[in-house]
Amino acid sequence: MDHDNVTAMDIVRSLPGIFKRFPTIAKGYYYYSIKDAQNTLTLGTLVENNAEKHGNRPAILFEDCRITWGDFNAWANRIAGYFLAQGLKKGDSIAVFLENRPEILAVVAGAAKIGVACAMLNASQKGNVLKHSVNLIKPKMMVIGEELIPAFDGIKAGLQPDHPTPFLFLADTNTLNAFGDAPSGYANMAQQISTFNSEDPVLSDPPRTGDIAIYLFTSGTTGLPKAAPASHNKFLKAYGGFGLMSLAMKPEDVFYCALPLYHGTGLVVCWGSVLAGGSAFALRRKFSASAFWDDVRRYDATVFGYIGELCRYLLNQPPSDQDRNHRLTRMLGNGLRPSIWKEFKDRFGIETIAELYASSEGNIGFSNFFNLNKTVGLSTAPYKLVKFHDGTRDPIRNRNGILQEVTKGDPGLLIGEITKKWGFEGYTQKDATEKSILRDAFRRGDSWFNTGDVLRDIGCRHLQFVDRMGDTFRWKGENVSTNEVENIIDGSGMVEEAIVYGVEIPKTSGKAGMVTLVPNSRTFEINKLLAFMRANLPAYAVPVFVRITHAIEKTGTFKYRKVDIQKAGYALARPSEHVFAWLPKTEGYIQLTPELITDIDAGMFNF
């Protein structure tokens, strides 16, 4: 199926593979469909079940470290016992600030066993953004990896957790074998948990399926990150829907993941699938395109987790006679562009692309269950695609206040109906939750979750992802909030006005950040602003392009003409304006010339 439409015949062709997987699919549907919030099936019990069934098989592979399911469960149990001894109880929360390594999974599993929720802090955050994220949750304790101590020390003095020893240190080593030395003001967590019992905890009031397991942070359209609670049921849906129904994971499988585990795709979708198979989870600290296939061969991986940008980076690597020298045949993730779908499968010998669509906080998800090309698949949840105002995430209402569905095949704003079965967990901030809900959309009293994403129906209720709308764009696999970046730039004291948006670069995935600004003095130094932004923003959120102007055009109601500015991109449209770019492997902004723009557009720079 090389075209962009799905027909009944495409689905019929996929049926032999579906029938072959039917027992696994039936089992997966059971877990996917669990609705009883009082059920005692949780992330913790899923880990315990694997320890019982596959105790000697590998659960985690990381660098030179191999941890079995039995050892991983015992590790999580010691962590659970330690947290109980620290006075933590069901309903409490802790913050987790670690890069990808086995400790992050052990802490999440250990906390889950006693009903303590983990707030998964973005390892790229620093300064006021990081402090804001922590304060959204008000965790009792915080687990900080040695690799992130410098960033955490920058906000530590401004936190006031409700615990006598709130700051826990984990050395940047295999803490099962070595504890390291904790800096002043931190308790050495690895050393302290080593003395606790390795048996499964027995609780009078165990955690339940509907309890919060984790908090995931999202950069929404309001600027600073929002915290979205995710229940144990999210793991069960990933376990059943992706691990069993889509991938048919088995104990012999090895799932390679270089996606950050503070994101839902890495932690819930990928790890949830691993849990379903009693499989091994092979981790990498950070994604590397040049090391990817060596890792796949080293771990003998059979599946990998992706986001679309990651696949683009892999395709950009020089072709090699080793491109098919591996056992990897399946991939699970989101954002694979239709334009590179077939090329990726053909070059690397991929048989199954389990593309999905979901969000940390949303009530709707799609899965490419039939392994069809160029689609996020279908959903059993009630949804509609509706007309929207260009450049915004706002739907269009007719004169009667009713939303209007798009013609089949046209791009539309995806909205999911909020019902008892398809609830919306929302955010920790009630006002942020309310802003994501559309009320009285088609009839009085109804309510719908506004995803802010644009998709199109390509046939047989299969959708294709088109774009992400509103004040957020995607770059380097991360959502960048324009308001957040604008607020940081405003705080520099160097500009009068600044408007941030995403622009497309040919032959590059996602949208690069760009800011149009008015300096507040004639002695404005652009690289002084760059240094300020690098100190206060994650690297992916620092604008790649800067347009310096004398005034930013506004509408009659004093709103910026953001769409017009965005269309101009980084073109040298006006002689009175100057455009700069922060090119790869350079230390500062460089003023653009027509020749440089030609090189950028030709793909000469690997952004």
Side-chain angles (χ1 to χ4, degrees):
M1 192 189 75
D2 295 334
H3 49 85
D4 281 6
N5 295 317
V6 171
T7 67
M9 186 55 65
D10 295 317
I11 293 175
V12 168
R13 290 193 193 104
S14 74
L15 289 179
I18 298 291
F19 290 142
K20 187 177 178 182
R21 292 188 287 121
F22 185 76
T24 308
I25 290 170
K27 181 182 177 184
Y29 188 74
Y30 165 77
Y31 285 97
Y32 178 81
S33 302
I34 289 174
K35 301 180 187 65
D36 181 10
Q38 295 304 308
N39 195 311
T40 54
L41 192 58
T42 63
L43 173 58
T45 56
L46 294 178
V47 170
E48 290 167 9
N49 291 344
N50 279 341
E52 186 178 336
K53 294 177 187 173
H54 314 293
N56 293 321
R57 295 199 64 88
I60 302 175
L61 304 172
F62 177 70
E63 297 175 352
D64 296 324
C65 178
R66 179 186 184 274
I67 302 169
T68 66
W69 278 107
D71 288 342
F72 178 73
N73 185 54
W75 188 12
N77 288 339
R78 292 193 295 275
I79 291 173
Y82 170 70
F83 283 145
L84 286 173
Q86 291 296 309
L88 297 189
K89 59 185 185 303
K90 180 177 169 180
D92 285 340
S93 62
I94 61 170
V96 180
F97 197 41
L98 293 161
E99 291 183 347
N100 276 20
R101 48 190 179 108
E103 284 77 5
I104 199 170
L105 299 174
V107 169
V108 171
K113 285 170 174 274
I114 60 170
V116 170
C118 288
M120 309 304 296
L121 297 172
N122 185 322
S124 300
Q125 289 181 353
K126 60 184 85 169
N128 286 334
V129 178
L130 177 59
K131 182 178 175 182
H132 166 85
S133 296
V134 174
N135 286 334
L136 280 177
I137 303 299
K138 295 183 171 55
K140 295 277 188 182
M141 304 183 84
M142 286 159 248
V143 181
I144 302 96
E146 182 179 5
E147 66 277 18
L148 296 174
I149 287 288
F152 193 78
D153 275 347
I155 67 159
K156 184 167 173 267
L159 303 176
Q160 297 178 318
D162 181 21
H163 194 278
T165 54
F167 304 119
L168 307 177
F169 168 85
L170 282 174
D172 193 1
T173 183
N174 177 0
T175 58
L176 280 172
N177 299 328
F179 304 145
D181 295 320
S184 176
Y186 292 85
N188 194 323
M189 182 176 173
Q191 188 174 39
Q192 296 202 10
I193 68 170
S194 64
T195 60
F196 280 84
N197 194 313
S198 298
E199 300 300 312
D200 295 338
V202 179
L203 305 171
S204 58
D205 182 20
R208 312 280 172 168
T209 300
D211 293 344
I212 298 170
I214 55 172
Y215 291 94
L216 297 169
F217 292 87
T218 176
S219 291
T221 56
T222 58
L224 289 167
K226 297 187 289 263
S231 67
H232 293 271
N233 190 251
K234 291 262 187 185
F235 283 94
L236 294 183
K237 285 192 178 300
Y239 183 103
F242 303 129
L244 296 176
M245 295 173 71
S246 294
L247 296 175
M249 294 290 287
K250 294 181 170 57
E252 304 80 42
D253 280 312
V254 177
F255 194 123
Y256 177 68
C257 180
L259 302 177
L261 295 177
Y262 56 75
H263 269 184
T265 304
L267 184 63
V268 180
V269 173
C270 295
W271 193 35
S273 299
V274 169
L275 288 163
S279 313
F281 203 27
L283 296 177
R284 184 179 178 88
R285 185 74 63 113
K286 292 179 180 176
F287 170 72
S288 165
S290 59
F292 182 89
W293 294 108
D294 287 338
D295 272 358
V296 164
R297 286 183 280 271
R298 173 187 183 183
Y299 296 120
D300 199 21
T302 55
V303 189
F304 83 100
Y306 71 90
I307 53 172
E309 291 91 336
L310 181 153
C311 298
R312 172 74 74 179
Y313 298 148
L314 293 176
L315 273 180
N316 285 343
Q317 292 293 299
S320 162
D321 58 6
Q322 297 296 300
D323 281 346
R324 286 190 168 215
N325 179 22
H326 54 80
R327 266 204 322 142
L328 198 153
T329 58
R330 290 165 286 164
M331 51 194 272
L332 172 68
N334 60 278
L336 181 62
R337 292 199 174 234
S339 59
I340 66 169
W341 193 294
K342 187 175 186 299
E343 181 185 359
F344 195 90
K345 287 182 79 169
D346 290 349
R347 176 172 165 182
F348 298 115
I350 305 298
E351 297 171 7
T352 299
I353 297 182
E355 173 85 0
L356 63 98
Y357 170 87
S359 62
S360 303
E361 72 280 15
N363 71 332
I364 185 167
F366 288 76
S367 181
N368 189 11
F369 178 68
F370 291 102
N371 189 29
L372 305 179
N373 286 340
K374 304 181 182 181
T375 174
V376 299
L378 46 78
S379 178
T380 55
Y383 69 88
K384 291 185 185 294
L385 297 175
V386 299
K387 296 179 181 179
F388 60 95
H389 295 282
D390 284 344
T392 76
R393 49 185 288 136
D394 301 326
I396 296 173
R397 293 183 184 258
N398 65 17
R399 64 180 62 184
N400 298 318
I402 303 300
L403 271 55
Q404 303 166 77
E405 292 188 68
V406 297
T407 304
K408 186 175 178 179
D410 286 349
L413 178 70
L414 175 67
I415 60 174
E417 188 171 14
I418 301 170
T419 65
K420 188 172 182 181
K421 181 178 178 181
W422 301 101
F424 174 46
E425 293 183 345
Y427 307 98
T428 55
Q429 300 153 288
K430 287 186 178 179
D431 59 335
T433 299
E434 189 57 35
K435 283 181 182 177
S436 295
I437 298 175
L438 300 168
R439 300 193 183 277
D440 302 326
F442 299 98
R443 63 183 185 279
R444 193 164 186 168
D446 68 353
S447 57
W448 298 70
F449 168 62
N450 182 354
T451 67
D453 292 329
V454 177
L455 293 90
R456 67 162 62 90
D457 188 328
I458 57 173
C460 298
R461 286 182 64 82
H462 279 67
L463 300 192
Q464 186 178 78
F465 186 83
V466 177
D467 204 359
R468 182 167 281 105
M469 301 306 293
D471 293 324
T472 303
F473 60 89
R474 196 162 178 83
W475 181 242
K476 302 290 187 185
E478 301 278 355
N479 290 338
V480 181
S481 163
T482 60
N483 287 340
E484 177 186 328
V485 180
E486 287 166 359
N487 288 336
I488 293 293
I489 294 173
D490 287 343
S492 72
M494 302 180 203
V495 303
E496 287 183 7
E497 293 181 279
I499 180 167
V500 176
Y501 44 96
V503 295
E504 292 186 352
I505 304 174
K507 302 178 182 178
T508 304
S509 291
K511 291 184 177 180
M514 183 164 185
V515 57
T516 291
L517 60 83
V518 179
N520 68 358
S521 75
R522 292 183 180 178
T523 58
F524 173 73
E525 294 180 34
I526 190 167
N527 284 317
K528 191 177 283 187
L529 176 63
L530 175 60
F532 179 87
M533 292 191 292
R534 292 180 73 176
N536 289 278
L537 285 168
Y540 62 80
V542 176
V544 174
F545 299 103
V546 178
R547 182 183 295 277
I548 297 176
T549 186
H550 300 297
I552 302 177
E553 189 178 1
K554 303 176 186 67
T555 67
T557 54
F558 303 101
K559 293 180 180 177
Y560 290 115
R561 296 186 182 277
K562 200 164 189 174
V563 175
D564 295 341
I565 296 171
Q566 195 167 1
K567 282 181 181 175
Y570 47 86
L572 304 179
R574 302 172 187 169
S576 61
E577 297 178 344
H578 300 291
V579 182
F580 295 80
W582 185 20
L583 299 174
K585 299 181 180 177
T586 63
E587 285 303 310
Y589 285 116
I590 298 170
Q591 187 167 345
L592 287 184
T593 62
E595 294 78 15
L596 264 177
I597 288 179
T598 299
D599 289 345
I600 291 171
D601 289 345
M604 300 289 287
F605 296 96
N606 188 15
F607 288 94

